[in-house]
Amino acid sequence: MTNESLALVQVIITTLIISGTPLVLIGLGVMVAEQSGVINLGVEGMATVGALVAVIMVLHDSNPTLALLAAALAAAMVAGVFALVSVVWRGNQIVTGLAVSLLCLGFTSWLGQPYQSATLSLPRPSEIPFLAEIPLVGTIIFAQPPLVYWSLAMALMVGWSLNNHRLGWLIRACGQSPQSLYALGHSPQWIKTAAVVFGGAMAGLGGGFVSLYSSGIWHAIPLAGKGWIALALGGLAGIKPLRLVVFAYGFGAVVAGQLALQASGSGFGLSPHLLLALPYLAIILVLLLWSRRFKS
Amino acid sequence: MFSLRQINNWARIGSPVLALSLAMVLTALLLQLLGYDPLKVMRILFWQPWSMVGGFAAILNRAAPLTMIAMGLSFGLRAGIWNLGAEGQLIIGACAATAVALTVPLSQPILALLVMAAAGAMGGAIWGLIAAGLYLRFKSNLIVISLMLVFVAQAVLNGLVFGPWRDPSGYNYPQSAVFAPQFWLPNIDGFPLFHSAILIAVAILVGGGIVAKYSRWNLGLKLAGESSQVAAYGGFSSSHQILSTLLVGGAAAGMAGMTMVAGSLGQLSGSVMQNYGFTAILVAFLGRLSAVGIALAGLLVALLTVGGESLRIEQGMSDSFVMGMAGLILLTLVAVDGLLNRRGQHDQ
C-alpha cells in the first residue's frame, strides 16, 4: 500500500469510529427509553445540552472525563423535565419531545455564543498497550478516546440486561403492558422515568463526545441532526444493542465513504452537497428493508 | 394520542394564557440569573415590534408562511399521523417554485405566479407523498422517514444552490439568481409593506377552518385521533387518511415555500427556510390545531421572531434565544394541559 492510500484508510477508519460512537451512545439511551414505552424526540436537544456543558467544563478545567460526566448529568436533568411532563403529567410524548428539543437547541445556541470557535486543547488519548502496536491499524483503532471503548462495553451491558436481567424485563414489560406491571405492584411511571433519565444521560455523553472529539470546537448546531439519526437507529435496533452498533458504524462508514468520494474528486459527477444526503437515504433504506423482513 | 376531549372550554383558552405567562416568568428568571435585565428584554421582545415602523407588517409577513404550514399540518396531527417532515416539504416546494421562475419563460405576471404556486404546492405534496408511500408500503416508522427526508431535502437544496443554480454574479454566495419581476409576489395594493402572502395565508386558514368544521374527511381524522378502531368501524381507511393528510400538509408547506422565495427575497438561498417547517409544528400545537388558534399562535411566534431580531441588534443576543423561548412556551402548555387533564389511571 502506498503511503497516500494508507493515510486515506486511516482517515476512513477514524471517521467511522468518531461518527459512529455518539450514535451508539445516544442510540442506547433511545433504545432503553423506547423499550419502556417512551419515544424521546427530545434527544437531539438533550445531546446538544451535553455538547455545550462538555465544552464549558473543558474550557474551565480541561479534564475530559469530568466534562463528560457533567454533560451526562445536565442532559439527564433535562430528561427529568421531559419525564415529568410526558410521563408523570401525561403530556403528549411527541409534542413534549419536540418542545424540549426546540427549547434546548434554542437556549444552548444562545448560551453558547461566548464559546463560539473557542478551540479545545485535549490531551491525546493514551494508547492501549500492545494492541496499539499492531501494524497499520493499531494506532488508529486502539488509540481512541476511552469513551469509544466504554460505548461498546455499555452496548454489551444494555444488551445483556434487556435480554437476561430482571431490570431489562421490567423495562420491556413496562413498554408492552404497563397495566399488568401495575397489577404486579410495580410503578410503570417510575420505570419509565428512570429509563428516560438514563436515555438523557446517554444523550449527554453522546453530545459531549461530539463536541470534544469530533468537532473539537463549539459551534451553534453541534449535533447537526445526529440525535434524530440516533433516534431512528435506536428504534430500529429493537432490543439488540449490537445491531445498533452495526447500524451506527455502518452510518459512520457511509459518512466516511462520502468524504472519501469527495476527497478523491470523483463522486460520480454529483455535487458534494448532494452526497451529504447519502447517509440519510441509507437509513431510510435500512428502515424499509428491516420492516419488510419483520412484518411481512 | 393528542386528544383534547377532557379539556373544557375554559381550559382550552385559559391554559395557553397560563402557559404563556408561566413561560415568560421562567424566561425572566433565566435572564435575571444570567445578568440581563428581564424587563428590558421582554419589552423589546413583546412591545417594540408594535411600535417600530413596519413592525406590524413584519409580524404579519412572517406569520403568513408559518400559519399556512401549520394549518396544512393540523389535519394529519389531529389523526395522530406524525408528519414531522414539513421542513423538507417546504424546501422542495421552494425548489420547485424556483425551477419554474428560472426556467419557464412566462411573461404574464398572474399566469407566472399561478404556475409557480402550483409547482411549489406540487413539489411539497410529492415530498409528503413519498414519505406516506414509503410508510404505507413498508409499514415502517413515519416519524423517522419524514424526518430523514428533511435532511435529504436540505442536501438537494444545497446541491442546487451550490451547484447548477448558483448565481454567477452572486459573489459565490449559495443562492440562485434573482427572479425576473413577473415571478415576484407583489405587496398588497395600498399597503406597501404588507406582502400578498398574507392574503394566501388568510385564504388557507379560512378554507382549512371550513374543511375542519364541515367535512366528513376531518370527522374521520378526528375519530382516528381518538381511536383507530372506531375510525375503521366508521368506514374511514387509515391508508387513505395517511396519503391525504400528507398530500395536504405537503402542499401547504410547498405553497409556503413558494411564497418565501417569491416574496421579499425574490431568489432561492441556502438559508431561506429558517426552520419554519419545524416552528410550524409548534404553531399548530400552540394553536390547538384550530384555524383561529393557529392564526393567534402564528402571530405570537412571528412577534417573537421580529422581537428577536431587535434583541440581536440592540442587545447582541442571538436569535436562537427566541426559538428556545418558543419551545419553552410549548413545553409549559403541554405541562399545564397534562396537569389539568390528569386522569386517575396508572397505565399508559
Short mmCIF file of all heavy atoms in Angstrom, two decimals, chain A residues 89-92 94-96 102-103 105-107 109-111 113 179 182 192 232 273-274 277 280 287-288 291-292 295, chain B residues 2 34 82 134 137-140 144-145 151 155-156 162 282 285 317-318 320-321 323-324 328 334 338-339 345-348:
data_model
loop_
_atom_site.label_atom_id
_atom_site.label_comp_id
_atom_site.label_asym_id
_atom_site.label_seq_id
_atom_site.Cartn_x
_atom_site.Cartn_y
_atom_site.Cartn_z
N TRP A 89 -47.05 13.87 34.25
CA TRP A 89 -48.24 14.68 33.97
C TRP A 89 -48.95 14.25 32.70
O TRP A 89 -49.93 14.88 32.29
CB TRP A 89 -47.84 16.17 33.88
CG TRP A 89 -47.39 16.71 35.18
CD1 TRP A 89 -47.61 16.17 36.43
CD2 TRP A 89 -46.61 17.90 35.40
NE1 TRP A 89 -47.01 16.94 37.38
CE2 TRP A 89 -46.40 18.02 36.80
CE3 TRP A 89 -46.10 18.88 34.57
CZ2 TRP A 89 -45.69 19.06 37.36
CZ3 TRP A 89 -45.38 19.92 35.13
CH2 TRP A 89 -45.18 20.01 36.52
N ARG A 90 -48.44 13.24 32.03
CA ARG A 90 -49.09 12.67 30.86
C ARG A 90 -49.32 13.64 29.72
O ARG A 90 -50.35 13.59 29.03
CB ARG A 90 -50.44 12.05 31.23
CG ARG A 90 -50.31 10.88 32.14
CD ARG A 90 -51.68 10.45 32.61
NE ARG A 90 -51.58 9.80 33.90
CZ ARG A 90 -51.15 8.57 34.05
NH1 ARG A 90 -50.81 7.86 33.01
NH2 ARG A 90 -51.06 8.04 35.24
N GLY A 91 -48.38 14.56 29.52
CA GLY A 91 -48.46 15.38 28.31
C GLY A 91 -48.14 14.49 27.11
O GLY A 91 -47.53 13.43 27.28
N ASN A 92 -48.58 14.90 25.94
CA ASN A 92 -48.29 14.09 24.76
C ASN A 92 -46.77 13.97 24.56
O ASN A 92 -46.05 14.95 24.53
CB ASN A 92 -48.93 14.75 23.54
CG ASN A 92 -48.69 13.97 22.30
OD1 ASN A 92 -47.57 13.90 21.81
ND2 ASN A 92 -49.72 13.37 21.78
N ILE A 94 -44.84 13.07 22.03
CA ILE A 94 -44.19 13.59 20.83
C ILE A 94 -44.10 15.11 20.89
O ILE A 94 -43.06 15.70 20.60
CB ILE A 94 -44.91 13.08 19.57
CG1 ILE A 94 -44.71 11.56 19.52
CG2 ILE A 94 -44.40 13.74 18.32
CD1 ILE A 94 -45.42 10.87 18.43
N VAL A 95 -45.20 15.74 21.32
CA VAL A 95 -45.18 17.20 21.42
C VAL A 95 -44.18 17.64 22.49
O VAL A 95 -43.40 18.58 22.29
CB VAL A 95 -46.59 17.75 21.75
CG1 VAL A 95 -46.58 19.25 21.66
CG2 VAL A 95 -47.61 17.17 20.80
N THR A 96 -44.19 16.93 23.62
CA THR A 96 -43.24 17.27 24.68
C THR A 96 -41.81 17.16 24.17
O THR A 96 -40.97 18.04 24.40
CB THR A 96 -43.41 16.34 25.90
OG1 THR A 96 -44.78 16.25 26.22
CG2 THR A 96 -42.65 16.87 27.10
N LEU A 102 -36.64 21.89 20.81
CA LEU A 102 -36.58 23.29 20.40
C LEU A 102 -36.01 24.16 21.51
O LEU A 102 -35.14 25.00 21.28
CB LEU A 102 -37.98 23.79 20.04
CG LEU A 102 -38.48 23.48 18.64
CD1 LEU A 102 -39.94 23.88 18.52
CD2 LEU A 102 -37.66 24.24 17.61
N LEU A 103 -36.52 23.91 22.72
CA LEU A 103 -36.07 24.67 23.88
C LEU A 103 -34.56 24.55 24.06
O LEU A 103 -33.85 25.55 24.19
CB LEU A 103 -36.81 24.12 25.11
CG LEU A 103 -36.32 24.48 26.50
CD1 LEU A 103 -36.74 25.89 26.82
CD2 LEU A 103 -36.92 23.54 27.53
N LEU A 105 -32.23 23.38 21.88
CA LEU A 105 -31.46 23.85 20.73
C LEU A 105 -31.36 25.37 20.75
O LEU A 105 -30.29 25.94 20.54
CB LEU A 105 -32.11 23.39 19.42
CG LEU A 105 -31.99 21.90 19.10
CD1 LEU A 105 -32.87 21.54 17.92
CD2 LEU A 105 -30.55 21.54 18.80
N GLY A 106 -32.50 26.03 21.05
CA GLY A 106 -32.52 27.48 21.06
C GLY A 106 -31.63 28.03 22.17
O GLY A 106 -30.73 28.84 21.92
N PHE A 107 -31.86 27.57 23.38
CA PHE A 107 -31.13 28.15 24.51
C PHE A 107 -29.64 27.80 24.48
O PHE A 107 -28.81 28.62 24.84
CB PHE A 107 -31.77 27.73 25.84
CG PHE A 107 -33.00 28.54 26.18
CD1 PHE A 107 -33.94 28.06 27.08
CD2 PHE A 107 -33.21 29.78 25.60
CE1 PHE A 107 -35.08 28.81 27.40
CE2 PHE A 107 -34.35 30.53 25.91
CZ PHE A 107 -35.28 30.04 26.81
N SER A 109 -27.76 27.29 21.84
CA SER A 109 -27.06 28.06 20.82
C SER A 109 -26.91 29.51 21.26
O SER A 109 -25.91 30.17 20.98
CB SER A 109 -27.77 27.88 19.49
OG SER A 109 -27.94 29.06 18.83
N TRP A 110 -27.89 30.00 22.03
CA TRP A 110 -27.78 31.36 22.60
C TRP A 110 -26.70 31.41 23.68
O TRP A 110 -25.80 32.25 23.65
CB TRP A 110 -29.15 31.78 23.15
CG TRP A 110 -29.13 32.95 24.07
CD1 TRP A 110 -28.55 34.16 23.83
CD2 TRP A 110 -29.73 33.03 25.37
NE1 TRP A 110 -28.76 35.00 24.92
CE2 TRP A 110 -29.48 34.33 25.87
CE3 TRP A 110 -30.47 32.15 26.15
CZ2 TRP A 110 -29.93 34.76 27.12
CZ3 TRP A 110 -30.93 32.57 27.38
CH2 TRP A 110 -30.65 33.86 27.87
N LEU A 111 -26.79 30.47 24.63
CA LEU A 111 -25.84 30.50 25.75
C LEU A 111 -24.43 30.13 25.31
O LEU A 111 -23.46 30.46 25.98
CB LEU A 111 -26.30 29.53 26.85
CG LEU A 111 -27.63 29.89 27.51
CD1 LEU A 111 -28.10 28.80 28.45
CD2 LEU A 111 -27.48 31.21 28.26
N GLN A 113 -22.97 31.19 22.67
CA GLN A 113 -22.37 32.27 21.88
C GLN A 113 -20.97 32.69 22.34
O GLN A 113 -20.08 32.83 21.51
CB GLN A 113 -23.29 33.48 21.92
CG GLN A 113 -23.88 33.81 20.59
CD GLN A 113 -24.71 35.07 20.67
OE1 GLN A 113 -25.26 35.41 21.71
NE2 GLN A 113 -24.82 35.77 19.57
N GLN A 179 -50.21 -1.96 32.42
CA GLN A 179 -51.27 -2.31 33.36
C GLN A 179 -50.91 -3.54 34.17
O GLN A 179 -51.08 -3.58 35.39
CB GLN A 179 -52.60 -2.58 32.63
CG GLN A 179 -53.23 -1.35 32.02
CD GLN A 179 -52.81 -1.16 30.57
OE1 GLN A 179 -51.78 -1.67 30.14
NE2 GLN A 179 -53.58 -0.39 29.82
N TYR A 182 -48.41 -2.78 36.70
CA TYR A 182 -49.01 -2.09 37.82
C TYR A 182 -49.72 -3.08 38.73
O TYR A 182 -49.63 -3.01 39.96
CB TYR A 182 -49.99 -1.03 37.31
CG TYR A 182 -50.65 -0.24 38.40
CD1 TYR A 182 -49.92 0.69 39.13
CD2 TYR A 182 -51.99 -0.44 38.71
CE1 TYR A 182 -50.50 1.42 40.14
CE2 TYR A 182 -52.59 0.29 39.73
CZ TYR A 182 -51.84 1.21 40.43
OH TYR A 182 -52.43 1.92 41.44
N LYS A 192 -40.53 4.12 33.70
CA LYS A 192 -40.38 4.96 32.51
C LYS A 192 -39.50 6.16 32.80
O LYS A 192 -38.62 6.51 32.00
CB LYS A 192 -41.76 5.47 32.05
CG LYS A 192 -42.55 4.42 31.32
CD LYS A 192 -43.86 4.97 30.82
CE LYS A 192 -44.65 3.85 30.20
NZ LYS A 192 -45.82 4.27 29.48
N ALA A 232 -33.64 7.23 15.15
CA ALA A 232 -34.04 6.26 14.14
C ALA A 232 -33.33 4.92 14.38
O ALA A 232 -33.96 3.86 14.40
CB ALA A 232 -33.69 6.78 12.74
N HIS A 273 -22.48 18.44 -2.02
CA HIS A 273 -23.60 18.78 -1.16
C HIS A 273 -24.71 17.76 -1.30
O HIS A 273 -25.42 17.44 -0.36
CB HIS A 273 -24.10 20.18 -1.48
CG HIS A 273 -23.03 21.20 -1.33
ND1 HIS A 273 -22.64 21.66 -0.11
CD2 HIS A 273 -22.23 21.79 -2.24
CE1 HIS A 273 -21.65 22.52 -0.27
NE2 HIS A 273 -21.38 22.62 -1.56
N LEU A 274 -24.86 17.24 -2.50
CA LEU A 274 -25.86 16.22 -2.75
C LEU A 274 -25.45 14.91 -2.10
O LEU A 274 -26.28 14.17 -1.57
CB LEU A 274 -26.02 16.04 -4.26
CG LEU A 274 -27.43 15.81 -4.78
CD1 LEU A 274 -28.38 16.84 -4.20
CD2 LEU A 274 -27.45 15.89 -6.29
N ALA A 277 -26.61 13.69 1.33
CA ALA A 277 -27.89 13.01 1.53
C ALA A 277 -27.70 11.51 1.71
O ALA A 277 -28.59 10.83 2.23
CB ALA A 277 -28.82 13.28 0.36
N TYR A 280 -28.52 9.64 5.04
CA TYR A 280 -29.94 9.65 5.40
C TYR A 280 -30.72 8.70 4.51
O TYR A 280 -31.63 8.00 4.96
CB TYR A 280 -30.48 11.08 5.31
CG TYR A 280 -29.69 12.01 6.16
CD1 TYR A 280 -28.73 12.85 5.61
CD2 TYR A 280 -29.83 11.99 7.54
CE1 TYR A 280 -27.96 13.68 6.41
CE2 TYR A 280 -29.07 12.80 8.35
CZ TYR A 280 -28.14 13.65 7.78
OH TYR A 280 -27.38 14.44 8.57
N LEU A 287 -34.27 1.06 7.12
CA LEU A 287 -35.56 1.05 7.78
C LEU A 287 -36.58 0.25 6.97
O LEU A 287 -37.31 -0.59 7.50
CB LEU A 287 -36.03 2.49 7.95
CG LEU A 287 -37.35 2.73 8.67
CD1 LEU A 287 -37.18 2.40 10.12
CD2 LEU A 287 -37.79 4.16 8.51
N LEU A 288 -36.59 0.51 5.66
CA LEU A 288 -37.58 -0.16 4.81
C LEU A 288 -37.30 -1.65 4.72
O LEU A 288 -38.19 -2.47 4.89
CB LEU A 288 -37.56 0.46 3.41
CG LEU A 288 -37.92 1.94 3.38
CD1 LEU A 288 -37.93 2.46 1.97
CD2 LEU A 288 -39.27 2.18 4.03
N SER A 291 -38.12 -3.34 8.11
CA SER A 291 -39.52 -3.54 8.48
C SER A 291 -40.15 -4.59 7.59
O SER A 291 -41.00 -5.35 8.03
CB SER A 291 -40.31 -2.24 8.43
OG SER A 291 -39.62 -1.25 7.76
N ARG A 292 -39.71 -4.66 6.33
CA ARG A 292 -40.27 -5.67 5.45
C ARG A 292 -39.93 -7.06 5.95
O ARG A 292 -40.77 -7.95 5.97
CB ARG A 292 -39.71 -5.48 4.05
CG ARG A 292 -40.24 -6.53 3.11
CD ARG A 292 -40.76 -5.94 1.85
NE ARG A 292 -39.80 -6.19 0.79
CZ ARG A 292 -40.03 -5.92 -0.46
NH1 ARG A 292 -41.17 -5.35 -0.80
NH2 ARG A 292 -39.15 -6.18 -1.36
N LYS A 295 -42.11 -7.69 9.21
CA LYS A 295 -43.56 -7.51 9.30
C LYS A 295 -44.32 -8.25 8.20
O LYS A 295 -45.52 -8.31 8.24
CB LYS A 295 -43.89 -6.01 9.24
CG LYS A 295 -43.24 -5.27 10.39
CD LYS A 295 -44.15 -4.23 11.01
CE LYS A 295 -43.54 -3.68 12.28
NZ LYS A 295 -43.26 -2.27 12.22
N PHE B 2 -52.92 12.80 20.62
CA PHE B 2 -53.25 14.16 21.01
C PHE B 2 -54.74 14.34 21.10
O PHE B 2 -55.44 14.37 20.10
CB PHE B 2 -52.67 15.11 19.97
CG PHE B 2 -52.67 16.54 20.40
CD1 PHE B 2 -51.74 16.97 21.32
CD2 PHE B 2 -53.58 17.43 19.90
CE1 PHE B 2 -51.72 18.29 21.74
CE2 PHE B 2 -53.56 18.75 20.30
CZ PHE B 2 -52.63 19.17 21.22
N LEU B 34 -28.72 35.24 34.45
CA LEU B 34 -27.57 35.42 33.58
C LEU B 34 -27.13 36.87 33.50
O LEU B 34 -26.27 37.23 32.72
CB LEU B 34 -27.90 34.92 32.17
CG LEU B 34 -28.11 33.42 32.09
CD1 LEU B 34 -28.78 33.03 30.78
CD2 LEU B 34 -26.79 32.69 32.22
N TRP B 82 -48.03 11.40 12.39
CA TRP B 82 -46.94 12.30 12.77
C TRP B 82 -46.03 12.62 11.60
O TRP B 82 -44.98 12.02 11.43
CB TRP B 82 -46.14 11.70 13.92
CG TRP B 82 -46.98 11.58 15.14
CD1 TRP B 82 -47.53 10.44 15.63
CD2 TRP B 82 -47.38 12.63 16.02
NE1 TRP B 82 -48.25 10.71 16.76
CE2 TRP B 82 -48.17 12.05 17.02
CE3 TRP B 82 -47.14 14.00 16.05
CZ2 TRP B 82 -48.74 12.79 18.04
CZ3 TRP B 82 -47.70 14.73 17.07
CH2 TRP B 82 -48.49 14.12 18.05
N LEU B 134 -43.78 5.44 1.26
CA LEU B 134 -42.79 4.53 1.85
C LEU B 134 -43.33 3.94 3.14
O LEU B 134 -43.16 2.75 3.42
CB LEU B 134 -41.49 5.29 2.13
CG LEU B 134 -40.67 5.70 0.91
CD1 LEU B 134 -39.48 6.53 1.33
CD2 LEU B 134 -40.22 4.47 0.14
N ARG B 137 -46.14 1.38 2.21
CA ARG B 137 -45.64 0.21 1.51
C ARG B 137 -44.91 -0.73 2.46
O ARG B 137 -45.00 -1.94 2.36
CB ARG B 137 -44.72 0.67 0.37
CG ARG B 137 -44.03 -0.42 -0.42
CD ARG B 137 -45.01 -1.09 -1.36
NE ARG B 137 -44.38 -2.18 -2.08
CZ ARG B 137 -44.14 -3.37 -1.56
NH1 ARG B 137 -44.47 -3.61 -0.31
NH2 ARG B 137 -43.56 -4.32 -2.27
N PHE B 138 -44.16 -0.15 3.37
CA PHE B 138 -43.30 -0.99 4.20
C PHE B 138 -43.73 -1.03 5.66
O PHE B 138 -43.09 -1.66 6.48
CB PHE B 138 -41.85 -0.49 4.12
CG PHE B 138 -41.27 -0.60 2.75
CD1 PHE B 138 -41.31 0.46 1.87
CD2 PHE B 138 -40.68 -1.78 2.33
CE1 PHE B 138 -40.77 0.34 0.58
CE2 PHE B 138 -40.14 -1.90 1.06
CZ PHE B 138 -40.19 -0.83 0.19
N LYS B 139 -44.81 -0.33 6.00
CA LYS B 139 -45.30 -0.30 7.37
C LYS B 139 -44.17 -0.02 8.36
O LYS B 139 -44.00 -0.73 9.35
CB LYS B 139 -45.97 -1.63 7.75
CG LYS B 139 -47.34 -1.81 7.13
CD LYS B 139 -48.40 -1.01 7.87
CE LYS B 139 -49.70 -0.93 7.10
NZ LYS B 139 -50.11 0.38 6.69
N SER B 140 -43.37 0.98 8.05
CA SER B 140 -42.28 1.27 8.97
C SER B 140 -42.65 2.46 9.85
O SER B 140 -43.77 2.52 10.33
CB SER B 140 -41.00 1.50 8.20
OG SER B 140 -41.26 2.39 7.15
N VAL B 144 -39.73 8.75 11.63
CA VAL B 144 -38.34 8.66 11.19
C VAL B 144 -38.22 8.96 9.69
O VAL B 144 -37.37 9.74 9.28
CB VAL B 144 -37.78 7.27 11.51
CG1 VAL B 144 -36.42 7.10 10.86
CG2 VAL B 144 -37.66 7.08 13.01
N ILE B 145 -39.10 8.36 8.88
CA ILE B 145 -39.00 8.59 7.44
C ILE B 145 -39.17 10.07 7.11
O ILE B 145 -38.39 10.65 6.37
CB ILE B 145 -40.07 7.76 6.68
CG1 ILE B 145 -39.72 6.28 6.79
CG2 ILE B 145 -40.12 8.17 5.22
CD1 ILE B 145 -40.64 5.40 5.99
N PHE B 151 -33.56 15.93 5.86
CA PHE B 151 -32.12 16.06 5.60
C PHE B 151 -31.81 15.84 4.13
O PHE B 151 -30.94 16.50 3.57
CB PHE B 151 -31.34 15.07 6.47
CG PHE B 151 -31.48 15.36 7.94
CD1 PHE B 151 -32.31 14.60 8.73
CD2 PHE B 151 -30.79 16.41 8.50
CE1 PHE B 151 -32.45 14.87 10.08
CE2 PHE B 151 -30.92 16.70 9.84
CZ PHE B 151 -31.75 15.92 10.65
N ALA B 155 -30.11 18.49 1.52
CA ALA B 155 -28.98 18.19 0.64
C ALA B 155 -29.32 18.58 -0.80
O ALA B 155 -28.48 19.12 -1.52
CB ALA B 155 -28.62 16.71 0.74
N VAL B 156 -30.57 18.32 -1.20
CA VAL B 156 -31.00 18.70 -2.55
C VAL B 156 -30.88 20.21 -2.72
O VAL B 156 -30.32 20.72 -3.69
CB VAL B 156 -32.45 18.24 -2.81
CG1 VAL B 156 -32.99 18.85 -4.10
CG2 VAL B 156 -32.52 16.71 -2.88
N PHE B 162 -25.54 25.49 -4.42
CA PHE B 162 -24.09 25.50 -4.56
C PHE B 162 -23.68 25.04 -5.96
O PHE B 162 -22.54 25.17 -6.36
CB PHE B 162 -23.42 24.57 -3.54
CG PHE B 162 -23.30 25.17 -2.17
CD1 PHE B 162 -24.20 24.84 -1.17
CD2 PHE B 162 -22.27 26.05 -1.88
CE1 PHE B 162 -24.08 25.39 0.10
CE2 PHE B 162 -22.14 26.59 -0.61
CZ PHE B 162 -23.05 26.25 0.38
N LEU B 282 -44.85 23.54 16.00
CA LEU B 282 -45.09 24.19 17.29
C LEU B 282 -46.31 25.10 17.22
O LEU B 282 -47.17 25.09 18.11
CB LEU B 282 -43.82 24.96 17.64
CG LEU B 282 -43.70 25.78 18.90
CD1 LEU B 282 -42.28 25.67 19.40
CD2 LEU B 282 -44.02 27.23 18.65
N PHE B 285 -49.56 23.12 17.33
CA PHE B 285 -49.95 22.63 18.65
C PHE B 285 -50.32 23.76 19.59
O PHE B 285 -51.27 23.65 20.36
CB PHE B 285 -48.86 21.76 19.25
CG PHE B 285 -48.85 20.39 18.67
CD1 PHE B 285 -47.77 19.94 17.95
CD2 PHE B 285 -49.95 19.56 18.81
CE1 PHE B 285 -47.77 18.68 17.39
CE2 PHE B 285 -49.96 18.30 18.26
CZ PHE B 285 -48.87 17.85 17.55
N MET B 317 -28.02 39.80 21.48
CA MET B 317 -28.43 38.44 21.86
C MET B 317 -28.73 37.62 20.61
O MET B 317 -29.29 38.13 19.66
CB MET B 317 -29.67 38.50 22.75
CG MET B 317 -29.34 38.69 24.21
SD MET B 317 -30.82 39.02 25.14
CE MET B 317 -31.50 37.39 25.28
N SER B 318 -28.39 36.35 20.66
CA SER B 318 -28.60 35.51 19.49
C SER B 318 -30.09 35.30 19.21
O SER B 318 -30.91 35.23 20.12
CB SER B 318 -27.91 34.17 19.72
OG SER B 318 -28.59 33.15 19.07
N SER B 320 -31.45 32.72 18.40
CA SER B 320 -31.89 31.41 18.83
C SER B 320 -32.51 31.45 20.22
O SER B 320 -33.24 30.54 20.60
CB SER B 320 -30.72 30.43 18.81
OG SER B 320 -29.58 31.05 19.28
N PHE B 321 -32.27 32.54 20.96
CA PHE B 321 -32.94 32.73 22.24
C PHE B 321 -34.45 32.61 22.08
O PHE B 321 -35.14 31.99 22.88
CB PHE B 321 -32.57 34.10 22.81
CG PHE B 321 -33.45 34.58 23.91
CD1 PHE B 321 -33.33 34.04 25.18
CD2 PHE B 321 -34.41 35.54 23.68
CE1 PHE B 321 -34.15 34.47 26.20
CE2 PHE B 321 -35.23 35.97 24.70
CZ PHE B 321 -35.11 35.44 25.96
N MET B 323 -36.10 31.02 19.73
CA MET B 323 -36.51 29.63 19.45
C MET B 323 -36.62 28.86 20.76
O MET B 323 -37.58 28.11 20.97
CB MET B 323 -35.46 29.00 18.54
CG MET B 323 -35.69 27.56 18.23
SD MET B 323 -34.65 27.14 16.81
CE MET B 323 -33.82 25.70 17.42
N GLY B 324 -35.65 29.07 21.64
CA GLY B 324 -35.70 28.42 22.95
C GLY B 324 -36.94 28.82 23.71
O GLY B 324 -37.62 28.00 24.31
N LEU B 328 -40.06 26.66 25.08
CA LEU B 328 -40.48 26.69 26.49
C LEU B 328 -41.98 26.94 26.61
O LEU B 328 -42.65 26.32 27.44
CB LEU B 328 -39.68 27.78 27.22
CG LEU B 328 -39.92 27.87 28.72
CD1 LEU B 328 -39.52 26.59 29.42
CD2 LEU B 328 -39.16 29.04 29.32
N VAL B 334 -47.96 22.06 27.25
CA VAL B 334 -48.20 20.63 27.39
C VAL B 334 -48.30 20.26 28.87
O VAL B 334 -49.14 19.47 29.27
CB VAL B 334 -47.07 19.80 26.73
CG1 VAL B 334 -47.39 18.33 26.79
CG2 VAL B 334 -46.87 20.21 25.29
N GLY B 338 -51.48 18.80 30.61
CA GLY B 338 -51.35 17.49 31.25
C GLY B 338 -51.87 17.54 32.67
O GLY B 338 -52.62 16.66 33.11
N LEU B 339 -51.52 18.59 33.40
CA LEU B 339 -51.95 18.70 34.79
C LEU B 339 -53.46 18.85 34.89
O LEU B 339 -54.10 18.23 35.74
CB LEU B 339 -51.27 19.91 35.45
CG LEU B 339 -49.89 19.62 36.00
CD1 LEU B 339 -49.23 20.90 36.46
CD2 LEU B 339 -49.99 18.64 37.15
N GLN B 345 -55.54 7.26 36.14
CA GLN B 345 -55.11 5.98 35.58
C GLN B 345 -53.66 5.75 35.94
O GLN B 345 -52.91 6.67 36.15
CB GLN B 345 -55.24 6.00 34.06
CG GLN B 345 -56.68 6.02 33.61
CD GLN B 345 -56.76 6.20 32.12
OE1 GLN B 345 -55.75 6.27 31.44
NE2 GLN B 345 -57.97 6.27 31.61
N HIS B 346 -53.30 4.51 35.99
CA HIS B 346 -51.91 4.22 36.33
C HIS B 346 -51.19 3.56 35.18
O HIS B 346 -50.07 3.15 35.31
CB HIS B 346 -51.86 3.33 37.56
CG HIS B 346 -52.50 3.97 38.74
ND1 HIS B 346 -51.86 4.89 39.52
CD2 HIS B 346 -53.75 3.86 39.23
CE1 HIS B 346 -52.69 5.30 40.46
NE2 HIS B 346 -53.84 4.69 40.31
N ASP B 347 -51.90 3.40 34.11
CA ASP B 347 -51.24 2.74 32.96
C ASP B 347 -50.60 3.78 32.06
O ASP B 347 -50.20 4.84 32.52
CB ASP B 347 -52.28 1.93 32.18
CG ASP B 347 -53.43 2.78 31.72
OD1 ASP B 347 -53.55 3.95 32.18
OD2 ASP B 347 -54.22 2.32 30.92
N GLN B 348 -50.53 3.51 30.81
CA GLN B 348 -50.02 4.40 29.77
C GLN B 348 -48.52 4.54 29.81
O GLN B 348 -47.97 5.01 30.78
CB GLN B 348 -50.63 5.79 29.88
CG GLN B 348 -50.70 6.50 28.55
CD GLN B 348 -51.09 7.96 28.70
OE1 GLN B 348 -50.61 8.66 29.58
NE2 GLN B 348 -51.99 8.41 27.86
#
